[in-house]
Amino acid sequence: MESPFARWFGRFMFIPGVGGNFVPLIQALEIVDKQSSGSVTLPGFSFALFCIVCWLIYGLLRRDKVLIWANIIGVINLVTLIVCIVVYA
């Protein structure tokens, strides 16, 4: 049986889990604003996308809603960033 603190903390982790995955979107907006992706590397963010897809699969296997939603948002934002890197390279 899960303790009340564990349940609360699981819900709380949705905030940093989702919030942290908006960092690539901020970077993408900066790339679009400057119309240059020279300050970021495609291989680095491609590897980050691979890692976050692995976390998404893990969340799906565990049926953990926090992991699933946080990593869906992360995948969307990283794909957006990678598209911006390629377009503005």
Side-chain angles (χ1 to χ4, degrees), residues 6-18:
R7 276 193 305 275
W8 174 85
F9 197 72
R11 290 184 186 125
F12 167 78
M13 285 307 295
F14 185 78
I15 297 166
V18 170

Side-chain angles (χ1 to χ4, degrees), residues 23-50:
V23 173
L25 186 60
I26 294 166
Q27 184 71 55
L29 293 172
E30 185 177 324
I31 289 171
V32 171
D33 183 51
K34 292 183 178 181
Q35 296 190 355
S36 173
S37 63
S39 63
V40 296
T41 64
L42 184 58
F45 284 107
S46 297
F47 183 69
L49 179 61
F50 168 76

Side-chain angles (χ1 to χ4, degrees), residues 8-86:
W8 174 85
F9 197 72
R11 290 184 186 125
F12 167 78
M13 285 307 295
F14 185 78
I15 297 166
V18 170
N21 283 317
F22 275 102
V23 173
L25 186 60
I26 294 166
Q27 184 71 55
L29 293 172
E30 185 177 324
I31 289 171
V32 171
D33 183 51
K34 292 183 178 181
Q35 296 190 355
S36 173
S37 63
S39 63
V40 296
T41 64
L42 184 58
F45 284 107
S46 297
F47 183 69
L49 179 61
F50 168 76
C51 292
I52 209 159
V53 167
C54 289
W55 274 106
L56 175 58
I57 293 168
Y58 178 68
L60 290 168
L61 292 172
R62 293 188 47 93
R63 297 184 177 158
D64 186 318
K65 291 179 185 178
V66 171
L67 286 176
I68 293 168
W69 283 109
N71 290 302
I72 286 173
I73 291 168
V75 166
I76 291 167
N77 289 335
L78 276 169
V79 168
T80 301
L81 174 58
I82 289 170
V83 168
C84 288
I85 291 171
V86 171

